[in-house]
Amino acid sequence: MKAYVGTVLRINLSTKTITKEAIDAEMAQKFVGGRGLATYMLSQEIDPTIDALSPENKVFIATGPLTGTNAPTSGRYMVVTKAPLTGTIACSNSGGYWGPELKNAGYDMVVLEGKAEKPVYITIIDDEVEIKDADHLWGKKVNDTTDTLLEEMGDQKARVLCIGPAGEQLSPIAAVMNERFRAAGRSGVGAVVGSKNVKAIVVRGSKKVEVADSEKMRDILKGAMAKIRENGVTGQGLPKYGTAVLVNIINESGVFPTRNFQTGVFEEAEEVSGETLEAKYLVKRDPCYRCPIACGRYCKADDMEGGGPEYETLWAYSADCGISDLKAVIKANHLCNDYGLDTISAGCTIACAMELFEKGYIKAEEIDGPELNFGNADAIVEWTRKMGEGEGFGAKLAQGSYRLAESYGVPELSMTVKKQELPAYDPRGIQGQGVQYATSNRGGCHVRGYLISPEILGIPEKLDRLSLENKPQWAKIFQDLTATIDATGLCLFTSFALGAQDYADMLSAATGQEWTADSVLEAGDRIYNIERIFNLKAGFTKADDTLPKRLLEEPIPEGPSKGWTTKLDELLPLYYEVRGWDAEGVPTEETLKKLGLK
């Protein structure tokens, strides 16, 4: 097969054995690669009921067939495992250059099994793979770890993936980081890597990814690039202002969650907008591998500089915490990157703590740092540091908002789905996004089906965000297409400009296999269903396809979405029907047979 390099690198940390095996061509055709193939393999190899932090769990770090090709945004890889935060399937996506480098070294994915006796790191230099002692790295933050490994390698072009102190301490909101600022951020994948005593994986490759028909690929990519450049989002908004271009757009729709989702309008949104970030703190644009969009920001605030903040991060630490100090947000983001924390979960957990503190659940004598009041900019910086260090009350915050709120008897004040913090869009005023949140296979998540695209941005067509009509159908389509995009190794942001047929054309030219728009969506449907089956086997039920009580029962109190709640009780049964699931949310025999899963 072309585009795939054809090899899975399997590392058993308990036995210190390294094996190389051929990729399963039949399963690659069914599940594409990346998110899809790794999820299939994980579901075949582990019991979904195991403890996510036990040696029995496995970590699949997987590229897609288009990773490392000339396709635009082909720098993505996925970390697939069982999630410690949620207990669901975990599938966290990152960009940068690490994924293409792994393929250039000759591997489609790395599988980590078992647990090392003591801290180790792994070097992959083409065919040469070694497990090395990491005692000198354990305890180091991400930047120091990266600097040390690049110096030891003697090659500044090597690519470093690592965890920070948060992953070492098994925080369920710990991220896997690469190239310092890129994050496979969600669900606690960094804790699973930490539980295996793996600090880092360094990759250097000298090969090239070959495609089946380079001339056809060139022509297809020319058309795809033209669409990306001509699109208002991918060709103008994201390149100019990064993802934070959304701040004012979302706030003006009254769905910018503020003070732990107590309202949907932030009165100081302009102070933390992408426009303000660009004017005051931007040093340069920071694109991923072969990315013409270049949404990545590189910013500086006082003595802290680095990648980000992205829109979700910026929101979590600003509006959700009632803070308009953009400098403090940049610093908190920098600390998350260096400690290896998921910025969404970290910021939202502080927001939850602020509500708990202001309502008297958290007592002043419990905390060993700044008061947890909404609007306290010093608090977001210092508490992020303490979370990363696992220091004092920060260790409690580092468990995420659900466990925090539950410990005070009010889990409903955690704005989570399946214990994962919701991102920066209030579903009370975006009905399709609400049903997508509730049914996301990895818990609270916007990038499992970005209904913001049609409901707010009008792409590919403008939907009435408050209408329920056809929203389950739209949710399924977006979830399925997203699953396949993740599996290819491309960035989801290409979908603002490209459609299913564009991905089919690229896959066909790259792999030599025949893909159509229908087969692209069918592959996504298949992936979504095996994730669902994994979660069902892990013990999840229809009762878990829900939203925080606040979003179902408390109307937005002000602004353009005033008076609205999420109408999930009406949407969920229709969604199950569209999915081909029974009334309990279980895929029917007919659906499984249709998708070749039976």
Side-chain angles (χ1 to χ4, degrees):
M1 296 187 299
K2 295 294 185 181
Y4 305 90
V5 292
T7 303
V8 174
L9 179 63
R10 192 177 291 270
I11 301 171
N12 189 303
L13 298 153
S14 298
T15 62
K16 301 179 184 177
T17 55
I18 298 167
T19 57
K20 299 173 185 180
E21 57 195 52
I23 196 169
D24 187 324
E26 181 183 352
M27 291 302 105
Q29 173 71 14
K30 285 184 74 170
F31 296 102
V32 189
R35 172 180 168 186
L37 186 58
T39 298
Y40 167 75
M41 293 173 68
L42 180 77
S43 66
Q44 296 296 302
E45 296 185 22
I46 74 164
D47 177 351
T49 65
I50 62 168
D51 181 343
L53 298 179
S54 70
E56 289 72 39
N57 199 4
K58 298 184 181 184
V59 180
F60 290 76
I61 306 174
T63 66
L66 297 181
T67 304
T69 67
N70 290 339
T73 77
S74 55
R76 314 303 294 190
Y77 73 90
M78 311 293 300
V79 181
V80 177
T81 186
K82 180 175 180 179
L85 181 65
T86 60
T88 66
I89 190 85
C91 182
S92 294
N93 186 306
S94 184
Y97 291 76
W98 194 91
E101 199 70 27
L102 181 67
K103 287 190 75 171
N104 289 342
Y107 309 98
D108 291 293
M109 70 171 75
V110 177
V111 184
L112 302 178
E113 304 177 336
K115 178 179 180 178
E117 290 181 7
K118 60 180 184 177
V120 299
Y121 73 100
I122 297 158
T123 58
I124 303 170
I125 307 171
D126 290 329
D127 296 333
E128 197 174 306
V129 183
E130 295 182 75
I131 303 172
K132 298 183 177 182
D133 185 275
D135 277 341
H136 65 302
L137 298 171
W138 207 253
K140 286 184 180 290
K141 292 186 282 237
V142 169
N143 275 294
D144 287 345
T145 299
T146 303
D147 288 339
T148 301
L149 287 171
L150 290 177
E151 185 177 344
E152 288 183 8
M153 292 286 290
D155 185 351
Q156 292 296 310
K157 292 185 178 180
R159 303 296 176 180
V160 178
L161 172 154
C162 68
I163 60 170
E168 297 173 5
Q169 295 161 20
L170 309 185
S171 164
I173 60 172
V176 168
M177 307 297 297
N178 61 282
E179 287 112 338
R180 305 176 194 272
F181 316 123
R182 305 295 179 184
R186 309 232 64 196
S187 309
V189 293
V192 184
V193 174
S195 75
K196 298 188 175 302
N197 276 331
V198 173
K199 179 65 174 177
I201 305 176
V202 189
V203 180
R204 189 74 172 102
S206 61
K207 304 177 180 70
K208 295 278 188 184
V209 179
E210 296 182 7
V211 299
D213 191 332
S214 56
E215 189 172 329
K216 182 180 179 183
M217 188 71 165
R218 194 179 305 116
D219 289 342
I220 289 167
L221 296 185
K222 185 177 179 181
M225 285 290 289
K227 290 180 181 179
I228 289 169
R229 289 193 178 111
E230 291 164 8
N231 180 272
V233 175
T234 55
Q236 297 170 35
L238 288 173
K240 175 68 172 172
Y241 298 116
T243 54
V245 70
L246 287 167
V247 169
N248 285 325
I249 296 169
I250 302 302
N251 194 58
E252 286 164 8
S253 295
V255 289
F256 196 47
T258 300
R259 298 177 184 86
N260 201 34
F261 283 77
Q262 292 185 76
T263 184
V265 177
F266 186 44
E267 60 278 9
E268 297 177 282
E270 180 59 41
E271 295 301 309
V272 294
S273 67
E275 292 83 346
T276 301
L277 185 72
E278 193 263 350
K280 292 186 176 181
Y281 299 104
L282 182 68
V283 176
K284 61 181 179 179
R285 293 162 66 191
D286 188 23
C288 295
Y289 178 85
R290 289 197 174 275
C291 182
I293 302 170
C295 71
R297 309 288 94 176
Y298 186 98
C299 296
K300 183 176 181 179
D302 295 334
D303 60 341
M304 291 187 183
E305 63 178 285
E310 303 300 327
Y311 167 71
E312 307 294 335
T313 309
L314 197 152
W315 156 77
Y317 277 110
S318 66
D320 206 34
C321 292
I323 286 163
S324 60
D325 185 338
L326 192 48
K327 185 180 288 188
V329 172
I330 293 169
K331 290 179 178 180
N333 171 75
H334 178 84
L335 290 169
C336 281
N337 288 341
D338 217 12
Y339 282 104
L341 284 165
D342 170 20
T343 59
I344 298 176
S345 286
C348 291
T349 298
I350 293 173
C352 176
M354 287 175 167
E355 183 169 0
L356 291 169
F357 182 76
E358 292 198 349
K359 290 186 172 176
Y361 294 103
I362 296 175
K363 308 299 182 185
E365 56 269 23
E366 289 182 74
I367 60 175
D368 53 344
E371 288 196 345
L372 285 159
N373 294 113
F374 285 117
N376 186 348
D378 291 338
I380 63 169
V381 178
E382 178 60 7
W383 284 111
T384 299
R385 185 196 68 78
K386 292 173 79 70
M387 290 166 77
E389 292 284 355
E391 178 185 299
F393 194 74
K396 194 167 186 176
L397 295 177
Q399 296 303 303
S401 68
Y402 186 88
R403 290 165 178 82
L404 176 71
E406 185 182 44
S407 74
Y408 291 98
V410 282
E412 65 272 17
L413 294 186
S414 166
M415 297 299 108
T416 52
V417 170
K418 301 177 179 72
K419 300 181 183 177
Q420 179 162 278
E421 286 72 18
L422 285 167
Y425 313 91
D426 193 321
R428 290 175 287 188
I430 323 167
Q431 295 297 321
Q433 194 64 45
V435 73
Q436 197 289 124
Y437 280 162
T439 58
S440 164
N441 285 333
R442 69 168 186 173
C445 178
H446 58 299
V447 290
R448 280 297 172 268
Y450 195 64
L451 271 293
I452 302 305
S453 190
E455 291 188 287
I456 298 290
L457 302 177
I459 299 173
E461 64 181 82
K462 189 73 169 78
L463 302 181
D464 179 348
R465 61 188 175 84
L466 298 173
S467 169
L468 308 189
E469 185 178 2
N470 294 325
K471 292 302 173 65
Q473 290 90 332
W474 278 93
K476 178 184 183 297
I477 290 168
F478 268 68
Q479 288 171 340
D480 292 349
L481 181 59
T482 298
T484 300
I485 295 170
D486 285 346
T488 67
L490 296 186
C491 176
L492 178 61
F493 286 176
T494 55
S495 64
F496 287 122
L498 306 180
Q501 187 60 53
D502 295 299
Y503 299 108
D505 291 342
M506 285 187 278
L507 281 169
S508 297
T511 66
Q513 301 162 342
E514 189 59 40
W515 285 89
T516 64
D518 286 343
S519 64
V520 161
L521 290 171
E522 183 181 280
D525 197 358
R526 187 177 297 118
I527 294 165
Y528 214 80
N529 274 272
I530 61 167
E531 291 173 336
R532 179 70 173 189
I533 292 165
F534 182 98
N535 289 348
L536 291 168
K537 289 179 177 178
F540 288 83
T541 68
K542 175 184 178 180
D544 298 298
D545 292 339
T546 189
L547 296 172
K549 184 179 179 181
R550 170 169 289 162
L551 307 183
L552 297 173
E553 298 181 7
E554 297 177 23
I556 293 179
E558 60 183 326
S561 298
K562 181 179 179 178
W564 281 87
T565 58
T566 305
K567 311 299 181 185
L568 188 62
D569 57 340
E570 298 178 53
L571 291 168
L572 191 60
L574 297 173
Y575 173 86
Y576 285 170
E577 184 179 337
V578 169
R579 268 268 170 230
W581 299 349
D582 66 21
E584 296 303 309
V586 178
T588 64
E589 290 289 310
E590 182 181 356
T591 295
L592 296 178
K593 286 177 182 176
K594 180 186 73 172
L595 296 172
L597 297 175
K598 196 74 176 175

